[in-house]
């Protein structure tokens, strides 16, 4: 990602054109790293993002809506206090560094002043600092006094710029020429485009490697070859061309697309790039897609780990129940031993450790060895076996329904895992998160001050086929709602012996042909844990034959009067 000084310079110029003279209407903080400014420019209202995230640091205009933090953090409150209704005087780049500065004219009933926001876009060291007359009023990321650091980022301290790297300014032609001659003198092989690009990246301040490659490529085209760029005889040599390019190269915003994914953005044309109306738009598009993908993957992994943790816990509990039930199944064996001891009391003497008796209950006859407690009489040994028999019998009566409940719980968690695996966007995960929260597996999110705004139900997956609408639930909560919304004569589908989405064909008085049922069955099989199979059985029946038992888990139903079709899972027609 070329978020270097070359690109930041052009971003700052764009922002200055858009925002100069605008007023700050509202300030909010999305998370610990990102601030949002709503600014009225006199013509329209725009949203400015200030992000100090290590991977996504940026300052740009954005159209993406993000939910603010439930409670505004301290730095956000500080900005509201000092910058609310402030006028933007200028947006600029500091020197040729990865720092954007925003000067604001702030007025109150009793005073007016100029304050500056320093947006440092430096990877893991990114920060946003508010100053007045060079003194820090507050920072998004502060430093503790005990930290060993050359920069103090605390309110009241003097603001100092980050210490520059040991690199040359792109406008220091003499210094660059000297380093380049030293570099060339130590190389055995001839320089090429990549080696010169690496030289610029490692020795010149404010250039990302993609920008350095573009500079060398442009210089080589102008001079006729890479070798010619190292000589003054062929026009502007490389050490002069770098500064010229950084200052004069026109901005041609471009978003690079590969396999349908935004992989980078540039201020110049690149192969595979799509030209954008502005660099802000290109940057916002790139980071929005990147953050959406990462946010989706992180949430999906979090929900999946939570569900798998629950399944592991339930599986261990089930295993314990099975072992206890297996032991309880020996109850009949203890009853037989008690009966045999009772019938043969006359043959047994106290103090015996065991006895072999004829087993009348075995069809094949034979003998059975019975262990005895030497401290008990023969009659009490028989009673002991009857007590063990009764204990195992009661255990089996308790464990049998418990076993069914535990198996149902695991099946339910499996259905949640299928919903998570089939999720294709953050929308698909939203209600799954609610479902796991209601189970007590996730902590309920804090509500915003003023209460939680009522949200509209998330839409079902929807497909059109030959004039019929086919709906598929995204998760168990939606499956229940889909069932409630369906008409009695609508067709309901679900995979047989697999966890899947519930699918409804909205009949609306029409005649549902076999082709439509097969298409709906393919969709149902696709959104199941049998997606990778070849022929998946899918049951279907009218909605009126589907019942949801009282107090059953979300997504659980029973159904009758059904037929079955075998289909290959397929989403596209």
């Amino acid at each position: 990602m070329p978020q270097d000084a070359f690109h930041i310079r052009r971003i700052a110029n764009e922002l200055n054109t858009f925002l100069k003279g605008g007023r700050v209407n509202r300030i909010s903080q999305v998370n610990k790293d990102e601030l949002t400014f709503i600014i009225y420019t006199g013509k329209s209202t725009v949203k400015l993002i200030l992000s100090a995230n290590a991977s996504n640091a940026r300052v740009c205009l954005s159209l993406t809506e993000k939910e603010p933090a439930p409670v505004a953090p301290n730095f956000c409150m500080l900005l509201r206090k000092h910058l609310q209704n402030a006028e933007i005087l200028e947006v600029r780049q500091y020197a040729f560094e990865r720092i954007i500065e925003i000067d604001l004219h702030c007025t109150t009933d009793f005073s007016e002043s100029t304050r500056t926001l320093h947006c440092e876009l430096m990877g893991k060291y990114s920060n946003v600092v508010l100053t007045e007359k060079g003194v820090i009023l507050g920072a998004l990321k502060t430093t503790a006094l005990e930290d060993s650091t050359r920069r103090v980022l605390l309110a009241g301290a003097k603001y100092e710029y980050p210490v520059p790297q040991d690199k040359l300014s792109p406008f220091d032609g003499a210094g660059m020429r000297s380093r380049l001659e030293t570099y060339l003198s130590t190389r055995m092989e001839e320089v090429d485009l990549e080696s010169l690009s690496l030289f610029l990246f490692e020795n010149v301040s404010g250039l990302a490697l993609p920008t350095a490659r573009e500079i060398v490529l442009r210089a080589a085209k102008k001079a006729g070859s890479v070798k010619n760029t190292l000589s003054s005889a062929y026009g502007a040599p490389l050490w002069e061309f770098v500064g010229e390019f950084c200052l004069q190269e026109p901005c041609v915003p471009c978003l690079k697309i590969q396999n349908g994914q935004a992989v980078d953005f540039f201020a110049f044309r690149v192969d595979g790039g799509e030209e954008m109306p502005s660099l802000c738009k290109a940057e916002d598009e790139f980071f929005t897609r990147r953050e959406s993908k990462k946010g989706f993957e992180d949430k999906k992994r979090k929900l999946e780990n939570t569900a798998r943790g629950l399944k592991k816990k339930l599986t261990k509990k089930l295993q314990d129940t099975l072992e206890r039930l297996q032991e309880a199944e020996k109850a009949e064996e203890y009853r037989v031993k008690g009966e045999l001891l009772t019938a043969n009391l006359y043959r047994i003497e106290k103090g015996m450790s065991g006895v072999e008796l004829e087993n009348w209950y075995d069809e094949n006859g034979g003998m059975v060895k019975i262990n005895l407690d030497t401290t008990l009489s023969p009659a009490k040994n028989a009673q002991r076996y009857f007590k063990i028999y009764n204990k195992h019998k009661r255990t089996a009566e308790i464990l049998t329904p418990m076993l069914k409940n535990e198996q149902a719980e695991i099946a339910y968690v499996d259905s949640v895992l299928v919903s998570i695996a089939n999720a294709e966007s953050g929308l698909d995960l939203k209600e799954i998160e609610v479902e796991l929260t209601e189970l007590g597996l996730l902590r309920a999110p804090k509500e915003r001050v003023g209460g939680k705004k009522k949200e509209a139900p998330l839409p079902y997956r929807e497909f059109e086929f030959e004039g019929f609408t086919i709906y598929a639930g995204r998760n168990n909560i939606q499956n229940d709602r889909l069932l409630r919304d369906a008409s009695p004569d609508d067709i309901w589908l679900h995979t047989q012996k697999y966890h899947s989405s519930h699918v409804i064909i909205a009949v609306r008085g029409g005649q549902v042909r076999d082709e439509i049922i097969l298409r709906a069955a393919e969709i149902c099989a696709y959104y199941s844990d049998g997606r990778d199979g070849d022929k998946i059985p899918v049951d279907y029946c009218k909605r009126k034959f589907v019942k949801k038992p009282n107090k059953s888990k979300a997504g659980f139903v029973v159904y009758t009067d059904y037929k079955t079709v075998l289909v290959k899972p397929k989403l596209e027609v």
Side-chain angles (χ1 to χ4, degrees), residues 225-276:
S225 69
V226 173
K227 186 177 180 181
N228 290 347
T229 63
L230 306 177
S231 171
S232 301
Y234 295 90
L238 183 61
W239 51 86
E240 293 178 6
F241 185 80
V242 173
E244 179 185 313
F245 182 87
C246 289
L247 284 178
Q248 300 176 14
E249 181 66 21
C251 182
V252 183
C254 187
L255 185 67
K256 189 171 183 180
I257 309 290
Q258 284 182 352
N259 301 321
Q261 300 291 327
V263 296
D264 225 331
F265 71 95
F266 298 91
F268 43 78
R269 291 187 182 89
V270 293
D271 292 337
E274 177 184 320
E275 287 195 23
M276 303 295 285

Side-chain angles (χ1 to χ4, degrees), residues 93-146:
Q93 180 188 36
Y94 168 70
F96 196 73
E97 297 290 342
R98 290 175 293 169
I99 299 174
I100 289 180
E101 296 180 329
I102 305 174
D103 286 339
L104 301 107
H105 182 241
C106 310
T107 58
T108 67
D109 293 338
F110 307 103
S111 66
E112 64 178 279
S113 59
T114 299
R115 299 186 176 109
T116 303
L117 269 175
H118 304 266
C119 306
E120 303 169 356
L121 311 178
M122 301 178 173
K124 66 179 181 179
Y125 301 108
S126 298
N127 205 350
V128 179
V129 184
L130 178 65
T131 66
E132 182 178 355
K133 296 179 181 179
V135 177
I136 297 174
L137 298 178
L140 186 62
K141 301 175 184 177
T142 58
T143 56
L145 290 174
E146 61 269 17

Side-chain angles (χ1 to χ4, degrees), residues 332-349:
E332 192 62 24
E333 179 183 329
Y334 289 108
R335 185 190 66 81
V336 168
K337 289 181 178 180
E339 295 281 2
L340 293 176
L341 286 175
T342 302
N344 291 277
L345 289 176
Y346 67 96
R347 299 171 58 185
I348 306 169
E349 294 180 4

Side-chain angles (χ1 to χ4, degrees), residues 189-229:
E189 66 273 15
E190 188 175 339
V191 296
D192 56 12
L193 189 149
E194 187 62 19
S195 61
L196 273 184
S197 300
L198 285 169
F199 169 80
L200 291 184
F201 172 64
E202 292 169 356
N203 290 274
V204 180
S205 174
L207 297 182
L209 185 55
T211 307
R213 287 186 179 124
E214 186 67 17
I215 290 173
V216 174
L217 181 63
R218 298 283 184 92
K221 285 182 178 179
K222 189 174 181 179
S225 69
V226 173
K227 186 177 180 181
N228 290 347
T229 63

Side-chain angles (χ1 to χ4, degrees), residues 259-458:
N259 301 321
Q261 300 291 327
V263 296
D264 225 331
F265 71 95
F266 298 91
F268 43 78
R269 291 187 182 89
V270 293
D271 292 337
E274 177 184 320
E275 287 195 23
M276 303 295 285
S278 69
L279 191 56
C280 265
K281 177 66 176 173
E283 185 175 18
D284 180 49
E285 186 76 14
F286 169 73
F287 281 113
T288 297
R289 292 195 193 188
R290 177 173 172 167
E291 287 181 338
S292 297
K293 183 179 179 183
K294 186 178 186 304
F296 168 71
E297 290 173 349
D298 288 348
K299 181 173 280 191
K300 188 172 183 177
R301 183 165 52 251
K302 175 186 174 183
L303 295 179
E304 193 171 51
N305 289 342
T306 301
R308 289 195 185 282
L310 176 59
K311 183 177 179 180
K312 184 177 180 180
K313 183 178 177 181
L314 290 172
T315 302
K316 185 176 180 181
K317 187 177 177 182
L318 177 65
Q319 184 63 33
D320 181 61
T321 301
L322 285 170
E323 289 174 0
R324 290 170 62 196
L325 195 57
Q326 188 176 6
E327 181 66 25
E329 287 173 354
K330 298 178 181 178
E332 192 62 24
E333 179 183 329
Y334 289 108
R335 185 190 66 81
V336 168
K337 289 181 178 180
E339 295 281 2
L340 293 176
L341 286 175
T342 302
N344 291 277
L345 289 176
Y346 67 96
R347 299 171 58 185
I348 306 169
E349 294 180 4
K350 185 177 180 179
M352 294 176 64
S353 60
V355 64
E356 279 197 30
L357 301 173
E358 297 85 358
N359 189 355
W360 305 326
Y361 296 93
D362 187 354
E363 294 178 357
N364 300 320
M367 306 294 287
V368 59
K369 185 174 181 179
I370 304 174
N371 294 324
L372 300 174
D373 187 336
T374 56
T375 64
L376 299 177
S377 65
K380 287 189 176 180
N381 266 297
Q383 290 173 11
R384 184 170 68 91
Y385 276 102
F386 283 126
K387 283 181 181 178
I388 297 173
Y389 160 70
N390 288 325
K391 179 183 176 182
H392 282 340
K393 187 178 178 182
R394 287 193 302 272
T395 300
E397 290 172 352
I398 294 170
L399 291 180
T400 301
M402 188 184 295
L403 178 68
K404 290 182 180 179
N405 288 337
E406 289 170 357
Q407 289 172 332
E409 290 278 354
I410 291 175
Y412 170 70
V413 175
D414 283 337
S415 71
V416 173
L417 284 167
V418 171
S419 297
I420 296 170
N422 290 336
E424 297 164 345
S425 68
L427 201 66
D428 294 343
L429 297 175
K430 199 165 186 179
E431 283 181 335
I432 298 174
E433 191 172 18
V434 173
E435 192 174 352
L436 293 178
T437 301
E438 289 176 351
L439 288 173
L441 298 174
L442 293 175
R443 184 181 298 175
K446 291 182 180 178
E447 292 189 7
R448 294 185 61 192
V449 176
K452 189 175 181 181
K453 187 171 71 175
K454 189 175 181 181
E455 297 180 353
L458 297 175

